[in-house]
């Protein structure tokens, strides 16, 4: 009895193995770049790691297709290389001769991508499912764009500065006009004097007068 | 009130005056035009025509402007009017150019502010491409070009595909432009009183930032490549006349000559001031700043080229690793060539199909840019890869803003001082309101640059106003001073002001060398412009070869506007001379019929005020 069961199992797995091959229409290729991701802390890829991969994939399938109890044996792996890369296919738990179609597998992986990644301490780039594009992370949209906040702060400061400037100049002028009525009379006299004695202070005013001679010459 | 008019404002101290002149001369061009020219024209070899131009053209013109402003104590219009009423148009031309340049220059400051406001995010918004609505892929325009390009052309400018399509006013740019003008107003509100205080910060800060960048940049990997590339002299370029032309124009625009701003600043000096030393200081500091700024800029560009080179190589490595299923990280940058040869020998067709890129560090180093391209595309890309990007981005944009702001002060002072000297300001209007009105008027007109096609218009303004009219004005300035005012009289004035008669170097350059150089540069410039048909590079996402820029010709009406922009400031020179001549003729005819000995004085004085 036991022999028969063993024989059937081997047959089943042998059959499944034939369906798993590179460029299979039912499976995907996986590439891991462990050294790139972890550097010195990279772990060695071995049988146990492969077991974990198959288990996490079974977990992803269970999550996606509710009710169906996927087991590790439903995930069939082949063509492992040194890269580390391999192909896998998924069989249905109800009937091992039936393969789950690509769309479902893709959707399952997409759904649980983060969990699979963290099981291996890898990222979307270093644990690559070929032809499954990672869901592009949308940039976090802030409720108020931060640039407007900075703008508001800066403009508030500048606006306050302008108002202070204008107010201070108004205050200065008021102070001057309050002090003015006293020297207004003196001003009139000195003004006349400065105009007449303009030459004494600035040679500049002479310039326009001396220009006269040139003008007439022309 | 009358006392204030007769009492000319003055600088608090000499340092303020020197810093303001340095601030006006040192501007954005020192950071983003000079390093580009240095790199394009054979690195260290470019310094030779540059320094020759400085000595033969830049310093003499600078000294002349500072001296004449200091002696005559008037702004640009007043100075040329008092030398000869027929040359009053030179001052009017200066004033118009200053105003027009001030308008578009502040738009650049608005863009700098926009980037500054966006530098306070993590991650920086120009690092990643935004995702399209389905979340299936990145926006195609961004993917085809790059995230920095997309951020600049689409999210900042929202640029239209050509200049005829105006688009609409981009509200975010209007906000930034308004804030830029507020900054300018707050420094400019009371003329040199407030400018003198503001420049302490705006002129010294860029040097601090440049030093910080220098220290940081020199520690980046790849910095040495950039510096070697920048400074390796290629003596062959000296045979190309275009190099000499560019050196002459660069020194001229770099020193901000012929704007009238320097004349305005020096007119507020005490008359007994050593303007010769001031000119030498300002000129030399300006050139030193250019060279000093190019070191961190090129170190950072070298770093960026290095990053691009590494990315290129790593992409190649990944392709080979994936195709041949070689162990992860077995192929490295060092043994890449060996692996490549081995794989090519065993399976050449497979290697062929991978389409590996040729990675050449030199090609990446050559991808530099000048102007806004350097700051907003190249530099922002480099900053993403530096640790602590936000800090560097903030520092960089504050530095650019300070550099531009101090130049803006000079531009606007070149407008304000002549208007004040012409007594065109109604006496009831306080200075604060008048400066506010100038800023408001400039802001309103410069809203053109916030349109979708604004960048194209800015290029036009930059090329057609900030070049030829200035050369013409400078030529007339030096001819007026040397031949109409009289070089001997000018020498006497300088002797009176500084205590020393200008030596043979100044005499030779003022009398012959500088005017001749200006004439040659002007003619060469016109010839070169005439040879090129007026075209511009447009950013068109629907272009076949996108992301390459589409080169389009200017439509007829735009060419007309370009011509007008160049001609209108310059046309005031002959117009004013003609007007004066007509007035003189009228006066002459009048005196012939009515010989009134007293009429002469009165009418002459009246016309001289204008």
């Amino acid at each position: 009895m036991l022999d028969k069961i063993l024989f059937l199992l081997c047959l089943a797995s042998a059959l499944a193995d034939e369906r798993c091959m590179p460029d299979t229409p039912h499976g995907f290729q996986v590439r891991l770049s462990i050294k790139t991701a972890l550097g010195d802390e990279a772990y060695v890829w071995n049988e146990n790691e492969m077991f974990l991969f198959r288990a996490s994939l079974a977990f992803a399938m269970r999550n996606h297709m509710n009710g169906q109890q996927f087991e590790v044996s439903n995930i069939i792996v082949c063509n492992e290389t040194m890269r580390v890369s391999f192909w896998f296919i998924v069989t249905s738990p109800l009937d091992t001769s039936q393969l789950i179609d690509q769309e479902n597998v893709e959707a399952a992986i997409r759904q649980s991508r983060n969990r699979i990644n963290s099981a291996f301490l890898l990222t979307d780039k270093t644990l690559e499912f070929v032809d499954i594009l990672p869901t592009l992370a949308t940039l976090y949209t802030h409720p108020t764009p931060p640039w407007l906040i900075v703008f508001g702060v800066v403009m508030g400061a500048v606006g306050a500065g302008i108002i202070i400037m204008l107010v201070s100049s108004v205050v200065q002028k008021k102070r001057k006009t309050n002090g003015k009525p006293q020297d207004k009379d003196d001003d009139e006299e000195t003004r006349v004097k400065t105009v007449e004695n303009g030459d004494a202070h600035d040679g500049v005013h002479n310039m326009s007068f001396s220009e006269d001679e040139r003008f007439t010459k022309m | 009130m009358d006392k204030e008019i007769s009492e000319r404002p003055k600088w608090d101290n000499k340092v303020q005056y020197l810093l303001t002149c340095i601030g006006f001369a040192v501007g954005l061009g020192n950071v983003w035009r000079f390093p580009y020219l240095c790199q394009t024209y054979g690195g260290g070899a470019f310094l030779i025509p540059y320094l020759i131009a400085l000595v033969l053209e830049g310093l003499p013109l600078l000294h002349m402007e500072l001296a004449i402003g200091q002696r005559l104590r008037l702004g640009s219009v007043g100075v040329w009017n008092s030398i000869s009423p027929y040359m009053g148009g030179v001052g009017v031309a200066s004033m118009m150019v200053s105003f027009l340049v001030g308008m578009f220059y502040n738009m650049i400051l608005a863009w700098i502010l926009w980037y500054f406001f966006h530098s306070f995010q993590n991650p920086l918004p120009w690092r990643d491409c935004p995702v399209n609505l389905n979340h299936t892929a990145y926006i195609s325009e961004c993917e085809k070009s790059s995230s920095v390009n997309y951020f600049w052309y689409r999210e900042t400018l929202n640029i239209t595909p050509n200049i005829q399509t105006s688009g609409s006013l981009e509200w975010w740019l209007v906000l930034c432009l308004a804030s830029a003008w507020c900054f300018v107003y707050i420094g400019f509100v009371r003329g040199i009183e407030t400018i003198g205080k503001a420049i302490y910060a705006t002129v010294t800060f860029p040097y601090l930032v440049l030093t910080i960048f220098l220290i940081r940049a020199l520690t980046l990997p790849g910095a040495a490549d950039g510096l070697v590339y920048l400074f390796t002299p290629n003596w062959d370029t000296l045979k190309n006349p275009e190099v000499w032309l560019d050196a002459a124009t660069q020194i001229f625009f770099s020193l901000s000559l012929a704007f009238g701003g320097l004349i305005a600043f020096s007119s507020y000096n005490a008359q007994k001031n050593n303007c010769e030393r001031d000119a030498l200081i300002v000129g030399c500091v300006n050139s030193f700043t250019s060279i000093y700024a190019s070191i961190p800029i090129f170190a950072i560009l070298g770093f960026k080229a290095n990053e691009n080179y590494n990315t290129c190589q790593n992409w190649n490595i990944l392709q080979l690793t994936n195709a041949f299923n070689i162990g992860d990280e077995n192929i490295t940058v060092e043994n890449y060539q060996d692996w490549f040869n081995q794989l090519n020998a065993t399976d050449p067709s497979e290697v062929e199909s991978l389409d590996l890129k040729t990675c050449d560090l030199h090609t990446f180093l050559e991808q530099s840019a000048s102007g806004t391209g350097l700051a907003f595309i190249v530099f922002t890309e480099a900053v993403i890869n530096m640790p602590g990007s936000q800090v560097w981005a903030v520092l960089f944009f504050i530095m650019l803003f300070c550099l531009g702001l101090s130049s803006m002060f000079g531009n606007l002072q070149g407008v304000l001082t002549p208007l004040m000297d012409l007594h065109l300001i109604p006496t009831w209007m306080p200075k604060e309101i008048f400066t506010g009105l100038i800023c408001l008027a400039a802001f309103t007109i410069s809203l053109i640059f916030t349109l979708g096609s604004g960048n194209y218009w800015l290029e036009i303004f930059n090329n057609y106003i900030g070049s030829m009219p200035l050369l013409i004005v400078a030529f007339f300035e030096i001819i007026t001073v040397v031949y109409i005012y009289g070089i001997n009289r000018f020498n006497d004035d300088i002797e009176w002001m500084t205590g020393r008669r200008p030596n043979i170097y100044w005499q030779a350059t003022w009398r012959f060398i500088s005017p001749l150089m200006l004439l040659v540069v002007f003619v060469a410039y016109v010839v070169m412009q005439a040879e090129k048909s007026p075209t511009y590079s447009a950013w068109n996402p629907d272009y076949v070869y996108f992301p390459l820029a589409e080169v389009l010709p200017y439509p007829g009406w735009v060419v007309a506007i370009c011509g007008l922009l160049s001609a209108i400031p310059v046309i005031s020179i002959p117009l004013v001379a003609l007007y004066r001549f007509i007035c003189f003729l009228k006066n002459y005819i009048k005196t012939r019929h009515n010989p009134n000995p007293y009429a002469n004085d009165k009418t002459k004085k009246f016309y001289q005020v204008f």
Side-chain angles (χ1 to χ4, degrees), chain A residues 30-39 42-43 45 82-85 120-128, chain B residues 318 321-322 326-329:
Chain A
V30 182
R31 272 194 210 123
L32 291 104
S33 312
I34 307 171
K35 274 209 205 114
T36 315
L38 301 170
Y43 48 80
W45 187 260
M82 265 189 41
R83 168 67 182 80
V84 175
S85 74
F120 291 93
L121 309 172
L122 297 173
T123 66
D124 276 358
K125 261 185 82 179
T126 40
L127 174 50
E128 196 188 338
Chain B
L318 194 64
T321 312
N322 285 346
I326 306 163
D328 185 25
E329 299 251 316

Side-chain angles (χ1 to χ4, degrees), chain A residues 29 31-36 81-85 128 133 136-139 142 146-148 150-151 154-155 158 161-162 165-166 168-169 172-173 176 180 187 191 202-204 207-212 214-216 218, chain B residues 1-4 71-73 82-83 85 114 117-118 120-121 128 130-131 135-138 171-172 175 179 182-183 185-186 189-190 194 271 318 321-322 325-330 430 432 484-485 489 584 604-605 608:
Chain A
Q29 186 182 16
R31 272 194 210 123
L32 291 104
S33 312
I34 307 171
K35 274 209 205 114
T36 315
T81 68
M82 265 189 41
R83 168 67 182 80
V84 175
S85 74
E128 196 188 338
L133 301 167
L136 301 165
T138 39
L139 305 166
H142 303 84
W147 81 268
L148 276 178
V150 182
F151 169 76
V154 167
M155 281 317 287
V158 169
I162 292 180
M165 282 264 176
L166 294 176
S168 72
S169 57
Q172 259 182 18
K173 288 229 171 78
K176 269 197 191 153
K180 268 266 172 148
D187 250 20
R191 241 194 308 138
D202 274 358
V204 181
M207 300 311 298
S208 23
F209 285 104
S210 61
E211 281 310 302
D212 269 341
R214 288 176 136 234
F215 203 70
T216 40
M218 282 191 272
Chain B
M1 269 300 200
D2 301 276
K3 245 189 186 156
E4 282 170 35
R71 181 70 186 93
L72 299 180
R73 310 206 86 213
S82 55
I83 293 181
W114 165 263
F117 292 147
H118 278 84
F120 288 95
Q121 293 172 327
D128 301 313
V131 181
H135 300 285
T136 51
Y138 294 118
W171 63 269
W172 56 91
L175 276 185
S179 35
C182 285
F183 269 104
Y185 179 59
I186 208 174
V189 65
R190 277 187 235 141
T194 41
Q271 289 209 302
L318 194 64
T321 312
N322 285 346
N325 284 319
I326 306 163
D328 185 25
E329 299 251 316
N330 275 6
E432 289 83 356
I484 300 183
Y485 186 70
R489 199 161 157 202
F584 166 72
K604 260 184 269 178
K605 261 192 237 156
Q608 242 150 37

Side-chain angles (χ1 to χ4, degrees), chain B residues 157-364:
Chain B
L157 298 177
N158 199 11
I159 204 164
T160 53
N162 52 45
I163 199 171
Q164 294 99 305
T165 333
S166 293
S168 56
L169 287 177
E170 320 289 359
W171 63 269
W172 56 91
L173 287 181
V174 174
L175 276 185
C176 290
L177 186 64
S179 35
W181 276 111
C182 285
F183 269 104
V184 171
Y185 179 59
I186 208 174
F188 176 59
V189 65
R190 277 187 235 141
I192 65 162
E193 262 182 67
T194 41
I195 291 179
K197 312 280 187 309
I199 47 98
Y200 282 123
T202 61
V203 176
T204 49
F205 190 71
Y207 287 98
L208 181 67
V209 174
L210 277 176
T211 313
I212 297 175
F213 264 107
L214 183 71
I215 300 171
R216 180 64 186 111
L218 290 178
T219 58
L220 289 170
D225 297 317
L227 285 177
V228 162
Y229 184 65
L230 168 69
F231 284 117
T232 316
N234 176 10
W235 307 105
D236 288 331
T237 53
L238 292 182
K239 297 181 200 150
N240 179 6
E242 217 177 299
V243 178
W244 296 88
L245 175 66
D246 265 338
T249 45
Q250 169 63 14
I251 198 70
F252 180 80
F253 302 135
S254 178
L255 285 171
S256 306
L257 299 166
F259 278 90
L262 289 168
I263 301 181
F265 286 143
S266 62
S267 71
Y268 297 113
N269 265 338
Q271 289 209 302
K272 296 264 190 184
N273 174 47
N274 191 349
C275 54
E276 180 184 357
R277 204 183 50 186
D278 296 342
L280 288 173
I281 292 177
V282 172
C284 293
V285 169
N286 180 55
S287 294
F288 162 76
T289 311
S290 291
I291 300 174
Y292 188 61
S294 46
I295 302 177
I297 296 280
F298 264 88
I300 291 176
L301 289 183
F303 162 72
K304 174 181 164 299
N306 205 347
E307 289 287 306
N308 289 350
Y309 177 65
N310 284 341
T311 314
C312 178
Q313 282 208 309
N314 282 333
W315 189 87
N316 280 353
I317 290 175
L318 194 64
Q319 293 297 98
L320 278 180
T321 312
N322 285 346
F324 290 96
N325 284 319
I326 306 163
D328 185 25
E329 299 251 316
N330 275 6
I331 309 183
T332 61
V333 177
E334 288 84 32
N335 58 27
Y336 171 76
Q337 202 50 46
D338 300 326
W339 271 103
F340 178 75
N341 293 335
Q342 182 188 337
L343 290 170
N344 208 13
T346 49
D347 198 348
S349 54
E350 179 74 29
V351 173
E352 194 66 38
S353 68
L354 290 176
D355 250 342
L356 296 173
K357 303 180 194 166
T358 34
C359 298
D360 180 20
L361 184 61
H362 220 75
T363 334
F364 290 117

Side-chain angles (χ1 to χ4, degrees), chain B residues 323-525:
Chain B
F324 290 96
N325 284 319
I326 306 163
D328 185 25
E329 299 251 316
N330 275 6
I331 309 183
T332 61
V333 177
E334 288 84 32
N335 58 27
Y336 171 76
Q337 202 50 46
D338 300 326
W339 271 103
F340 178 75
N341 293 335
Q342 182 188 337
L343 290 170
N344 208 13
T346 49
D347 198 348
S349 54
E350 179 74 29
V351 173
E352 194 66 38
S353 68
L354 290 176
D355 250 342
L356 296 173
K357 303 180 194 166
T358 34
C359 298
D360 180 20
L361 184 61
H362 220 75
T363 334
F364 290 117
L365 280 172
E366 275 168 18
Q367 284 170 0
S368 81
S370 78
T372 50
L374 178 74
F376 301 129
I377 298 177
V378 172
F379 195 84
T380 44
E381 194 182 323
V383 146
I384 300 172
N385 293 323
M386 291 164 70
S389 344
Q390 284 76 9
V391 173
W392 304 113
V394 166
L395 277 179
F396 181 67
F397 291 119
I398 295 186
M399 173 187 83
L400 286 186
F401 189 72
C402 288
L403 285 172
L405 194 64
S406 42
S407 299
M408 272 305 291
F409 292 145
N411 277 326
L412 290 181
Q413 196 63 41
V415 173
L416 180 70
T417 309
L419 288 177
M420 275 169 53
D421 294 331
L422 293 177
H423 303 291
L424 284 179
I425 311 174
T427 42
W428 53 266
M429 196 187 277
K431 202 196 266 191
E432 289 83 356
I433 300 199
F434 190 68
T435 49
L437 281 180
I438 296 181
C439 291
L440 194 64
F443 167 69
T444 319
I445 305 177
S446 54
L447 284 175
I448 316 170
F449 304 118
T450 57
L451 292 170
S453 52
N455 192 31
Y456 302 131
W457 284 109
L458 197 131
E459 287 295 314
I460 289 180
F461 269 66
N462 191 18
N463 290 333
Y464 291 100
I465 297 181
S467 56
M468 214 158 59
L470 289 172
L471 287 170
I472 299 178
V473 168
F475 179 72
F476 277 104
E477 279 188 6
I478 198 162
I479 295 294
T480 308
V481 168
V482 170
Y483 296 109
I484 300 183
Y485 186 70
I487 186 72
N488 292 321
R489 199 161 157 202
F490 190 55
N491 285 332
D492 293 335
D493 288 338
I494 295 186
E495 197 177 3
W496 182 79
M497 289 194 293
T498 66
R500 260 200 341 258
R501 214 173 166 75
N503 57 31
I504 185 76
Y505 158 68
W506 299 114
Q507 302 300 327
T509 47
W510 281 332
R511 279 180 219 231
F512 315 113
I513 304 182
S514 296
L516 192 63
M517 261 188 94
L518 276 176
L519 198 61
V520 168
V521 167
F522 172 66
V523 169
Y525 202 88

